Amino acid sequence: MKLRILLSLMLMLFSASVATAASLPDEDGYDLWLRYRPVEAAYARNLNVSAILGGDTPLQRSAESELQRGLKGLLGRDAARVKTVQAGALILGTPASSGLIKNLKLPLQGLGEEGFLIRSISLNSKPVTVIAANSDRGVLYGAFRYLSLIQTRQPLGHLNISDAPKTDLRLLNHWDNLDGSVERGYAGASIFDWWRLPDLKDPRLTDYARANASIGINGAVIDNVNASPLVLSDRYIAKAAAIADMLRPWGMKVYLSVNFASPKALGGLPTADPLDPQVIKWWQERTDAIYKAIPDFGGFLVKASSEGQPGPGDFGRTHAQGANMLARALKPHGGVVMWRAFVYASDNPEDRFKQAYDEFKPLDGQFDDNVIIQIKNGPIDFQPREPFSPLFGALTETNEMMEVEITKEYLGQATHLVYLAPMWREALQSDTYQQGPGTTVAKVLEGKVYGNRLTAMAGVSNIGADRDWTGTDFNQANWYAYGRLAWNPDADPKAIASDWTKMTFSDNPAFVTPVVNMMMGSHEAVVDYMTPLGLAHQMATGHHYGPGPWVCDLARPEWNPCYYAKADKGGIGFDRTATGSDALAQYAPEAAAKWSDPKTMDPRFLLWFHHVPWDFVSADEKPLWPDLIAHYDVGVDYVHDMQTTWADMKPYVDDRRFTAVSENLAIQAREAKWWRDAMIAYFQSKNGLSLPTGEAPPEHDLGYYESLQFPNAPGQGK
Amino acid sequence: MKLRILLSLMLMLFSASVATAASLPDEDGYDLWLRYRPVEAAYARNLNVSAILGGDTPLQRSAESELQRGLKGLLGRDAARVKTVQAGALILGTPASSGLIKNLKLPLQGLGEEGFLIRSISLNSKPVTVIAANSDRGVLYGAFRYLSLIQTRQPLGHLNISDAPKTDLRLLNHWDNLDGSVERGYAGASIFDWWRLPDLKDPRLTDYARANASIGINGAVIDNVNASPLVLSDRYIAKAAAIADMLRPWGMKVYLSVNFASPKALGGLPTADPLDPQVIKWWQERTDAIYKAIPDFGGFLVKASSEGQPGPGDFGRTHAQGANMLARALKPHGGVVMWRAFVYASDNPEDRFKQAYDEFKPLDGQFDDNVIIQIKNGPIDFQPREPFSPLFGALTETNEMMEVEITKEYLGQATHLVYLAPMWREALQSDTYQQGPGTTVAKVLEGKVYGNRLTAMAGVSNIGADRDWTGTDFNQANWYAYGRLAWNPDADPKAIASDWTKMTFSDNPAFVTPVVNMMMGSHEAVVDYMTPLGLAHQMATGHHYGPGPWVCDLARPEWNPCYYAKADKGGIGFDRTATGSDALAQYAPEAAAKWSDPKTMDPRFLLWFHHVPWDFVSADEKPLWPDLIAHYDVGVDYVHDMQTTWADMKPYVDDRRFTAVSENLAIQAREAKWWRDAMIAYFQSKNGLSLPTGEAPPEHDLGYYESLQFPNAPGQGK
């Protein structure tokens, strides 16, 4: 025992000396933000924590094991499991699991099912820390919060923290196919080894669940929204159950994306009409079979009547009829249906921007109370910048949730360093004005406006089997920030970035400050070098890698980048005012008013709503054409600045991660310039204008950019 | 400095105590057989090694870094780099790089370019160990051999080892597609991140190259034989060059599979006729471009006129004309063409067994001297058991090499524990009799029979991006054993298994002996439960997962399992005697004679060559029908025995690897029974015979087995 203490001390000394040495030990990113590397001795000295007194439920056991792992790593201490109060103990529990906690009469009301309280108190004159909650899951979240306080070097002497999530369901959506590929995945194959499940239980899934629990994510949809009917077969239900078994100890539920045509495709029925009694029975039977294997199954996610997927529309039924049929199969078990609003019809000539609202607004009030409409943050499709979807706040009698895309399908994919939290905050804090000023999207989602029975967030996962989970170290920040914002849609992206940076790399301010600043501007940079001033969907077809503004010959108009930019000799931009598609009218009048005057509106959204001439000049006297080019330049320059910033960070990062980030930034720098040059060459081909004085011309002619082909671009699934 | 020594000592003590404790630290398999975990103190005490005196070339630097890594891990010692001889030094070098080595006048003749010598000598009364070779690559191989001696706990006091490979080119063939999928890959995506290359240099490739160097593999064909023309584009050549840059310091060359139609598909020429001057020029230009990027590029691998791939036959040219055209483009640069003999024509009614021989035997002598014909070990396609290909030894004026499949496409894929070295040895030690008795396949391949200019082995890789590289820990043994057998085709599979087991898990005899025995019988077991007595190709269509003997309706006869077993009311087996296809006549008469009499021949090959009635009885009075069933039972029982054996190994293996192997064995046990039951049900449907007394009937009826579908089975590539 003495030997082990000595060894621990020496390991800490060794670690401390390494931390200041020229070269830090290489890390491969697998540990994410749960690295638990040793803290500085000065900080550790003040921490009085030496034992854990916890409950015996599975989730409290998880909390305890994580605390032991974390304290061992951070402080080099083995926190013993104790049965009685002692000085320096961490006391975990719920009033139900612990008489001690119950007797403390802590203010747990208001923390709901998942909130927690962390408090430094004195018990029988012994200083202890209490992590208490109304449920085991709350205890688990409290344990992770406690560790994060050490990871970010907070003072722990007089803790009095209480926190609770503002949404009920905080989910990852995996667009993972049953063949192991991942649609819009840029970090290797699926982490779910569908083939060898349920027999082979990959320990990686436990680490996946731990990471999610640490940021409050409490569920995962484990298969692609473009769903295979097979996932409802007994064989695949058994596989899903094995995944559920591995996620459950960390407070996560499993959900499945289902194919609306499954009763035909898998069940052999002649129809999938949601009002057909046989179809209803089939779904009930399959749902019951799932709950038999997964008693805490979360529910279904459905992409119906969208992009070729089957749906109730195929049988002349409404989305509400389709969703409610599934909801009623799930209802007895407590499950939910998340029904995606991402629809646009192949035969509908209406502005794609408007179609989701047109479809769902008339159905408001017709959905059962265990249905949630899952709405993408913007009206089109995860563009670098979109206005908020007009559906937010417009549905007053229907549960609604937001879907964001953590995987950067349209924002540089795996390689570009883009911190997404500022973009998500922009959507969350948008004012819908639907119930007067201050009716922000976040408030709607939190259920504060209409008192929704269910509140939720969904993030399309950027996770794959790559050793670092997300393709690059900085993509991990988006997984992390998504969890934090799902927990609290009002959280500050900068504070989140700061926490993540400290936990993932270093808490040295000489590192944290410049890196956080670099992250915070990275989203505006990608907007600038891809689609500034309210442009959207200028990416190449199919894989969405690189620029493709010239594409104009695809079967459906709204598949073409030219549909969105509408660049011609006369001008650029999509007229969504009353003279155009009038999509603006889908917003509350006060919200629409903000975007109605091209002269005075926020120019970041200009071309989303207005077609303006190339010689347009805004009220603050910015002429469009040079301003557009200036944005591209600013974006390109920002990437160069990130390279410079990162180069200075070498002393604070291990070689392996330092090099990987540097290599990815080099790709981003080259591609930012590619974007700038290709877009400018394209615009010039339309407007015939020369470049402002001093502007570098595109490196190649337009034909060159048009000729580039990327047949093996990743993320296209099967 | 003192602190570090103390720390090292303590770490060793700690490790030693762990090694005897109940629970070993978990390992994820990434380190392969190069784990370098601490040796026992008693063994370490006797090792006098403390410094390295090496040369300054890239490969000698690699050797030195590996020795430092290995000695640090194994002995806890930092072997300092020194400039002068000191006691306990490892002295590395070649006569060219080191005056010291040159002056020692060691017997390096006969070691060729890649052999090495390891010797304990005394220099100025100082005991040192010399690792010497004629080339830097030999030094590198010697360094790995030296480390393996410690890993397997050999005495190091009086070393006098010299070794040299018996083949020139020892290659892995990666069937990796440019989209990241792997044809017949069961261990995740490709380790080559084609998308982010050449910018992103994954450190994993260095570990891949180290592992290969440790077993003497000196090259890799990095793309699928079903090759994309794109690989010859400038963009992909740059990617291949980046891979080559990472493999070169470890003595590995890069090769490319090329598509014969590339001049049309990529070059835009009207033809790919190998005699067309423009085509010739196109290949020369592309080859020159490759060598500009990769000065030590190895050459091309070609699958031509086979399974739908284009080839010289499309233009009325012979394989020799096609191969020589490419060979002449490579010749000035020192590159080679590996031309696969795996051909069978869609319009050829001849027994598929015979077609490769029929095509290539008449071309003997027509191939340039930098062409090698790459021949699969058997005449069909990597079955659990095949007779050797009749081409071996039959080509007397042509370089020939063997291709084996390390990835277990037909032998249980990722999950089944099957050690392949005994199967490869069976092929290698087969006597072709082509130049009299003793003309073994191995001798032919080693160039000892016909004095080939080039000798080589190719192994189809089982490597993917899974953390453990090969899908399970035991699949690593096949990668390892392939390298050892490519180096020395006469090596003993059991000795190889023993070395691998010690290095990968534990050198405890209580572990090594039962595990090696288990491995040694595992190949016969898979033959028994899949295709005993000379059956072949009974696997399900496309994915080759599980049994499919009933499949008989595919377009080409030789795609159907029923083509191979020819089971009917009257009997079973493929008549390849003079009354049948007469494939036997392709062998030398003495070899054919061994297989000509069904009564007396080795029954393991019976149904490869004879169609016999169900009531057939061999000379040793074994009746076919009960014997066939008995083989299935033996195979199934063997897997249960492996489960029992492995369960006893728990004290010697960490939990993580122990559990993974256990879980895979459980899958194998279930699937072995599935094979037995499905095959017996199928045979009974043909012969109408009842089961011998006491035999368990199949669990389900034949219809059940026929109904099973596996649409997401892995390994089917794009």
Side-chain angles (χ1 to χ4, degrees):
Chain A
M1 191 61 183
K2 275 184 184 162
L3 179 66
R4 295 188 74 177
I5 293 167
L6 183 53
L7 183 69
S8 295
L9 278 168
M10 301 201 52
L11 273 171
M12 285 181 61
L13 280 170
F14 179 68
S15 308
S17 74
V18 162
T20 53
S23 173
L24 296 163
D26 275 348
E27 296 189 34
D28 61 16
Y30 183 81
D31 292 338
L32 295 163
W33 49 87
L34 302 176
R35 293 161 58 250
Y36 302 140
R37 297 298 190 277
V39 301
E40 306 71 31
Y43 178 80
R45 258 196 303 278
N46 297 322
L47 299 188
N48 182 13
V49 48
S50 55
I52 301 173
L53 200 169
D56 244 349
T57 63
L59 268 73
Q60 287 199 44
R61 281 271 189 200
S62 296
E64 186 180 322
S65 75
E66 190 71 21
L67 285 166
Q68 276 163 339
R69 176 201 288 251
L71 295 173
K72 178 83 182 170
L74 290 160
L75 310 178
R77 294 181 200 163
D78 286 308
R81 180 158 226 256
V82 294
K83 296 283 183 189
T84 54
V85 173
Q86 63 177 65
L90 280 172
I91 302 176
L92 319 182
T94 65
S97 75
S98 159
L100 188 57
I101 298 287
K102 192 177 175 189
N103 292 336
L104 287 174
K105 299 197 193 305
L106 298 161
L108 297 172
Q109 63 284 9
L111 293 178
E113 150 124 34
E114 298 183 298
F116 57 83
L117 176 154
I118 306 177
R119 224 178 241 202
S120 310
I121 61 170
S122 186
L123 267 184
N124 312 331
S125 309
K126 292 164 184 158
V128 300
T129 307
V130 174
I131 302 177
N134 293 314
S135 77
D136 291 342
R137 190 183 281 149
V139 173
L140 179 65
Y141 294 152
F144 276 109
R145 179 66 59 85
Y146 179 81
L147 287 169
S148 77
L149 299 174
I150 303 178
Q151 291 176 281
T152 56
R153 310 293 190 274
Q154 306 302 306
L156 298 191
H158 306 282
L159 293 174
N160 187 3
I161 293 172
S162 66
D163 196 9
K166 294 183 178 171
T167 56
D168 303 326
L169 311 180
R170 303 172 301 277
L171 310 183
L172 285 180
N173 288 4
H174 287 268
W175 288 357
D176 293 19
N177 297 310
L178 304 186
D179 68 357
S181 64
V182 182
E183 186 167 328
R184 309 310 174 188
Y186 310 102
S190 172
I191 55 166
F192 305 117
D193 184 350
W194 286 105
W195 182 248
R196 290 198 278 181
L197 282 166
D199 307 276
L200 219 75
K201 292 165 192 76
D202 188 346
R204 171 182 276 257
L205 292 192
T206 295
D207 291 327
Y208 161 82
R210 287 175 49 237
N212 282 319
S214 77
I215 49 176
I217 290 174
N218 62 11
V221 185
I222 57 178
D223 64 321
N224 191 356
V225 286
N226 293 319
S228 166
L230 272 185
V231 83
L232 292 170
S233 65
D234 288 343
R235 185 159 167 259
Y236 278 89
I237 290 172
K239 294 169 189 278
I243 296 173
D245 289 343
M246 297 195 74
L247 306 193
R248 188 175 297 113
W250 300 91
M252 288 184 76
K253 287 185 180 182
V254 153
Y255 299 70
L256 291 176
S257 292
V258 295
N259 185 305
F260 201 77
S262 298
K264 284 176 76 176
L266 180 70
L269 298 185
T271 178
D273 180 349
L275 301 194
D276 182 281
Q278 276 194 291
V279 170
I280 294 168
K281 199 173 147 218
W282 189 87
W283 280 106
Q284 284 171 341
E285 188 277 326
R286 284 291 83 192
T287 305
D288 294 346
I290 293 171
Y291 277 95
K292 201 169 166 195
I294 312 172
D296 60 348
F297 178 68
F300 296 140
L301 171 61
V302 192
K303 174 178 180 177
S305 304
S306 165
E307 295 188 320
Q309 291 295 320
D314 303 345
F315 311 97
R317 312 301 182 187
T318 68
H319 287 287
Q321 288 171 313
N324 292 344
M325 181 272 292
L326 295 175
R328 286 161 201 173
L330 290 157
K331 182 86 176 176
H333 306 286
V336 302
V337 170
M338 291 162 293
W339 192 271
R340 289 175 100 229
F342 179 65
V343 300
Y344 56 100
S346 55
D347 52 356
N348 189 345
E350 182 58 271
D351 180 4
R352 176 174 164 189
F353 186 116
K354 296 174 67 178
Q355 294 188 35
Y357 183 97
D358 286 349
E359 285 260 359
F360 283 87
K361 175 66 179 161
L363 299 173
D364 191 19
Q366 297 182 28
F367 292 95
D368 283 7
D369 70 355
N370 62 332
V371 175
I372 322 178
I373 307 303
Q374 181 165 321
I375 305 163
K376 292 188 182 187
N377 58 289
I380 300 292
D381 191 17
F382 299 137
Q383 292 305 299
R385 167 161 285 127
E386 297 203 28
F388 67 93
S389 165
L391 271 171
F392 290 117
L395 302 178
T396 63
E397 301 174 77
T398 304
N399 296 313
E400 54 186 331
M401 63 188 284
M402 182 184 281
E403 175 183 318
V404 298
E405 195 178 42
I406 310 171
T407 188
K408 303 198 306 297
E409 175 182 359
Y410 294 99
L411 294 97
Q413 303 183 353
T415 44
H416 294 208
L417 194 165
V418 183
Y419 176 55
L420 297 173
M423 177 179 80
W424 296 330
R425 182 180 173 84
E426 187 173 295
L428 289 164
Q429 297 306 322
S430 295
D431 197 338
T432 71
Y433 291 94
Q434 290 289 359
Q435 300 292 317
T439 314
T440 62
V441 172
K443 274 193 190 160
V444 172
L445 295 175
E446 292 164 14
K448 290 178 184 161
V449 179
Y450 303 112
N452 313 27
R453 192 180 87 82
L454 288 169
T455 59
M457 287 280 290
V460 180
S461 156
N462 63 348
I463 298 164
D466 275 3
R467 184 65 181 167
D468 66 7
W469 302 89
T470 56
T472 72
D473 295 295
F474 274 91
N475 287 333
Q476 297 176 357
N478 292 322
W479 176 8
Y480 178 84
Y482 164 72
R484 291 281 302 267
L485 282 170
W487 177 279
N488 176 12
D490 303 307
D492 173 20
K494 189 163 184 174
I496 295 171
S498 175
D499 286 348
W500 176 81
T501 301
K502 289 176 186 172
M503 293 193 278
T504 304
F505 287 109
S506 161
D507 68 305
N508 190 324
F511 180 83
V512 175
T513 305
V515 169
V516 168
N517 286 338
M518 171 179 94
M519 290 168 71
M520 288 302 293
S522 61
H523 168 249
E524 204 59 43
V526 75
V527 172
D528 278 336
Y529 65 70
M530 285 186 182
T531 50
L533 295 176
L535 286 169
H537 222 307
Q538 299 301 292
M539 295 75 190
T541 302
H543 48 61
H544 300 154
Y545 170 73
W550 45 79
V551 176
C552 210
D553 58 356
L554 302 178
R556 285 167 62 170
E558 74 279 4
W559 285 352
N560 290 295
C562 70
Y563 170 90
Y564 296 94
K566 300 211 185 299
D568 54 26
K569 182 80 191 163
I572 184 169
F574 200 125
D575 183 3
R576 292 192 167 100
T577 68
T579 58
S581 77
D582 206 17
L584 265 178
Q586 292 185 338
Y587 290 100
E590 300 91 326
K594 286 193 176 177
W595 290 325
S596 61
D597 180 357
K599 283 276 182 194
T600 57
M601 70 177 286
D602 182 344
R604 297 179 306 162
F605 294 91
L606 177 68
L607 305 177
W608 268 104
F609 295 106
H610 301 280
H611 187 81
V612 294
W614 292 103
D615 60 2
F616 171 84
V617 178
S618 68
D620 62 356
E621 301 192 346
K622 276 203 175 164
L624 178 73
W625 175 232
D627 192 33
L628 186 62
I629 294 168
H631 274 279
Y632 281 102
D633 290 339
V634 165
V636 171
D637 289 347
Y638 194 89
V639 181
H640 291 146
D641 291 346
M642 291 203 291
Q643 289 183 288
T644 307
T645 299
W646 187 253
D648 290 341
M649 298 300 111
K650 193 166 170 46
Y652 311 103
V653 191
D654 56 282
D655 279 350
R656 183 171 179 146
R657 291 193 295 170
F658 178 80
T659 302
V661 172
S662 303
E663 288 174 348
N664 279 295
L665 282 171
I667 296 175
Q668 184 175 5
R670 191 179 63 231
E671 294 184 354
K673 180 165 190 317
W674 169 33
W675 265 97
R676 173 205 181 269
D677 287 355
M679 295 300 290
I680 291 176
Y682 171 71
F683 294 141
Q684 287 191 293
S685 78
K686 291 289 169 185
N687 63 19
L689 296 173
S690 56
L691 290 175
T693 316
E695 276 295 342
E699 191 173 345
H700 303 278
D701 63 18
L702 182 60
Y704 168 81
Y705 297 110
E706 290 182 345
S707 75
L708 297 176
Q709 299 291 323
F710 302 94
N712 293 304
Q716 298 180 82
K718 45 189 164 183
Chain B
M1 191 62 181
K2 272 184 186 163
L3 180 65
R4 296 187 73 177
I5 293 167
L6 183 54
L7 184 69
S8 294
L9 277 169
M10 300 200 52
L11 274 171
M12 286 181 61
L13 280 169
F14 180 67
S15 307
S17 74
V18 161
T20 53
S23 173
L24 296 162
D26 275 347
E27 297 189 34
D28 61 16
Y30 183 80
D31 292 338
L32 295 162
W33 49 87
L34 302 176
R35 294 161 57 250
Y36 303 140
R37 297 297 189 276
V39 301
E40 307 71 31
Y43 177 80
R45 257 194 304 276
N46 297 321
L47 299 188
N48 182 13
V49 48
S50 56
I52 301 173
L53 200 169
D56 245 349
T57 64
L59 268 73
Q60 287 199 43
R61 281 271 189 198
S62 296
E64 186 181 323
S65 75
E66 190 70 22
L67 285 165
Q68 276 163 341
R69 175 200 289 251
L71 295 172
K72 178 84 182 171
L74 291 160
L75 309 178
R77 292 180 201 165
D78 287 309
R81 179 159 225 253
V82 294
K83 297 283 184 191
T84 53
V85 175
Q86 61 178 64
L90 279 172
I91 302 176
L92 319 182
T94 64
S97 74
S98 160
L100 187 57
I101 298 285
K102 192 175 175 189
N103 292 336
L104 287 174
K105 299 197 192 306
L106 298 160
L108 298 173
Q109 63 284 7
L111 292 179
E113 149 121 34
E114 298 184 298
F116 58 82
L117 176 153
I118 306 176
R119 225 178 238 202
S120 311
I121 61 170
S122 184
L123 266 184
N124 312 332
S125 309
K126 292 164 184 157
V128 299
T129 307
V130 173
I131 303 177
N134 292 315
S135 77
D136 291 343
R137 190 183 281 151
V139 172
L140 179 64
Y141 294 152
F144 275 108
R145 179 68 59 87
Y146 179 80
L147 288 169
S148 78
L149 299 173
I150 303 178
Q151 291 176 279
T152 56
R153 310 294 190 271
Q154 306 302 304
L156 299 190
H158 306 282
L159 293 175
N160 187 2
I161 293 171
S162 66
D163 197 9
K166 293 183 178 171
T167 55
D168 302 327
L169 311 181
R170 303 172 301 278
L171 310 184
L172 287 180
N173 288 4
H174 287 268
W175 287 357
D176 292 19
N177 298 311
L178 304 186
D179 67 358
S181 64
V182 182
E183 186 165 329
R184 310 309 174 188
Y186 310 103
S190 171
I191 54 166
F192 305 117
D193 184 350
W194 286 105
W195 182 249
R196 290 198 278 182
L197 281 166
D199 306 276
L200 217 75
K201 290 166 194 74
D202 187 346
R204 171 182 276 257
L205 292 193
T206 295
D207 291 327
Y208 161 82
R210 288 176 49 237
N212 282 318
S214 78
I215 49 176
I217 290 174
N218 62 10
V221 185
I222 57 178
D223 64 322
N224 191 357
V225 287
N226 293 318
S228 165
L230 272 185
V231 83
L232 292 171
S233 65
D234 287 343
R235 185 159 167 259
Y236 278 88
I237 289 172
K239 294 169 189 280
I243 296 173
D245 289 344
M246 296 195 74
L247 305 193
R248 187 175 299 112
W250 301 91
M252 288 184 76
K253 287 185 179 181
V254 154
Y255 299 72
L256 292 175
S257 291
V258 295
N259 184 305
F260 201 77
S262 297
K264 282 176 76 175
L266 181 69
L269 298 185
T271 179
D273 179 350
L275 301 193
D276 182 280
Q278 276 193 292
V279 170
I280 293 168
K281 199 173 148 218
W282 189 88
W283 280 107
Q284 282 171 342
E285 188 278 326
R286 284 291 82 191
T287 305
D288 293 347
I290 293 171
Y291 276 94
K292 200 168 167 195
I294 313 173
D296 61 348
F297 178 68
F300 296 140
L301 171 62
V302 192
K303 174 178 180 177
S305 305
S306 166
E307 296 187 321
Q309 290 295 319
D314 303 345
F315 311 96
R317 312 301 183 186
T318 67
H319 287 288
Q321 288 172 313
N324 292 343
M325 181 272 292
L326 296 175
R328 286 161 201 172
L330 290 157
K331 182 85 176 178
H333 305 285
V336 302
V337 170
M338 292 163 293
W339 192 270
R340 287 175 101 229
F342 179 64
V343 299
Y344 56 100
S346 54
D347 52 356
N348 189 343
E350 182 58 272
D351 180 5
R352 177 174 162 188
F353 186 118
K354 296 173 67 178
Q355 294 189 36
Y357 182 97
D358 287 349
E359 284 261 359
F360 283 87
K361 175 66 180 163
L363 298 172
D364 192 18
Q366 297 182 28
F367 291 95
D368 283 8
D369 69 355
N370 62 332
V371 175
I372 322 179
I373 306 304
Q374 181 165 319
I375 305 162
K376 292 188 182 187
N377 58 288
I380 300 292
D381 191 18
F382 299 137
Q383 293 304 299
R385 168 160 286 126
E386 297 202 30
F388 67 92
S389 164
L391 271 171
F392 291 116
L395 302 177
T396 64
E397 300 175 79
T398 304
N399 297 312
E400 54 187 330
M401 64 188 284
M402 182 183 282
E403 174 182 318
V404 299
E405 195 178 41
I406 309 172
T407 189
K408 303 198 306 298
E409 175 182 358
Y410 294 99
L411 294 98
Q413 303 183 354
T415 44
H416 294 207
L417 194 166
V418 183
Y419 177 55
L420 297 173
M423 178 179 79
W424 296 330
R425 182 180 173 84
E426 188 174 294
L428 289 165
Q429 297 306 322
S430 296
D431 196 338
T432 71
Y433 291 94
Q434 290 288 0
Q435 298 293 317
T439 313
T440 62
V441 172
K443 274 193 189 159
V444 171
L445 295 176
E446 293 164 14
K448 291 178 184 161
V449 179
Y450 302 113
N452 313 24
R453 193 179 86 82
L454 287 169
T455 60
M457 287 282 289
V460 180
S461 156
N462 63 348
I463 298 163
D466 275 3
R467 185 63 182 167
D468 66 7
W469 302 88
T470 56
T472 73
D473 295 295
F474 273 91
N475 287 332
Q476 298 175 357
N478 293 322
W479 176 8
Y480 178 85
Y482 164 72
R484 293 280 301 268
L485 281 170
W487 176 280
N488 176 12
D490 303 308
D492 173 19
K494 190 163 183 173
I496 295 171
S498 176
D499 285 349
W500 176 81
T501 302
K502 289 177 186 173
M503 293 194 278
T504 304
F505 287 108
S506 162
D507 68 304
N508 191 323
F511 180 83
V512 175
T513 304
V515 169
V516 167
N517 286 338
M518 172 180 93
M519 291 168 71
M520 288 302 292
S522 61
H523 168 249
E524 204 60 42
V526 74
V527 172
D528 278 336
Y529 65 70
M530 286 186 181
T531 49
L533 295 176
L535 286 168
H537 221 306
Q538 299 302 291
M539 294 76 189
T541 302
H543 48 62
H544 300 154
Y545 170 74
W550 44 79
V551 176
C552 210
D553 58 357
L554 302 177
R556 284 166 63 169
E558 75 279 5
W559 285 352
N560 289 297
C562 71
Y563 171 90
Y564 296 95
K566 299 207 186 302
D568 55 25
K569 183 78 189 164
I572 184 169
F574 200 124
D575 182 3
R576 292 193 167 99
T577 68
T579 59
S581 78
D582 206 17
L584 265 179
Q586 292 185 336
Y587 290 100
E590 300 91 325
K594 286 191 176 179
W595 291 325
S596 61
D597 180 357
K599 283 275 181 193
T600 57
M601 70 177 288
D602 182 344
R604 298 179 305 162
F605 294 91
L606 177 67
L607 304 177
W608 268 104
F609 296 107
H610 302 280
H611 186 81
V612 294
W614 291 103
D615 60 1
F616 170 83
V617 179
S618 68
D620 61 355
E621 301 192 346
K622 277 202 175 163
L624 178 73
W625 175 232
D627 191 31
L628 186 62
I629 294 167
H631 274 279
Y632 281 102
D633 290 337
V634 165
V636 171
D637 289 347
Y638 194 89
V639 181
H640 292 146
D641 290 347
M642 291 203 292
Q643 290 183 286
T644 308
T645 299
W646 187 252
D648 291 341
M649 298 300 110
K650 193 163 168 51
Y652 311 103
V653 190
D654 55 282
D655 280 349
R656 183 170 179 146
R657 292 193 295 170
F658 177 80
T659 302
V661 172
S662 303
E663 288 174 347
N664 280 295
L665 283 171
I667 296 175
Q668 184 175 6
R670 192 180 62 231
E671 294 183 354
K673 180 164 189 320
W674 169 32
W675 266 96
R676 173 205 180 269
D677 287 356
M679 294 300 289
I680 291 175
Y682 171 71
F683 294 142
Q684 287 191 293
S685 78
K686 292 289 170 185
N687 63 20
L689 296 172
S690 57
L691 290 174
T693 316
E695 276 293 343
E699 192 173 343
H700 303 279
D701 64 17
L702 182 61
Y704 168 82
Y705 297 109
E706 289 182 346
S707 76
L708 298 175
Q709 298 292 324
F710 302 94
N712 293 305
Q716 299 180 81
K718 45 186 165 185

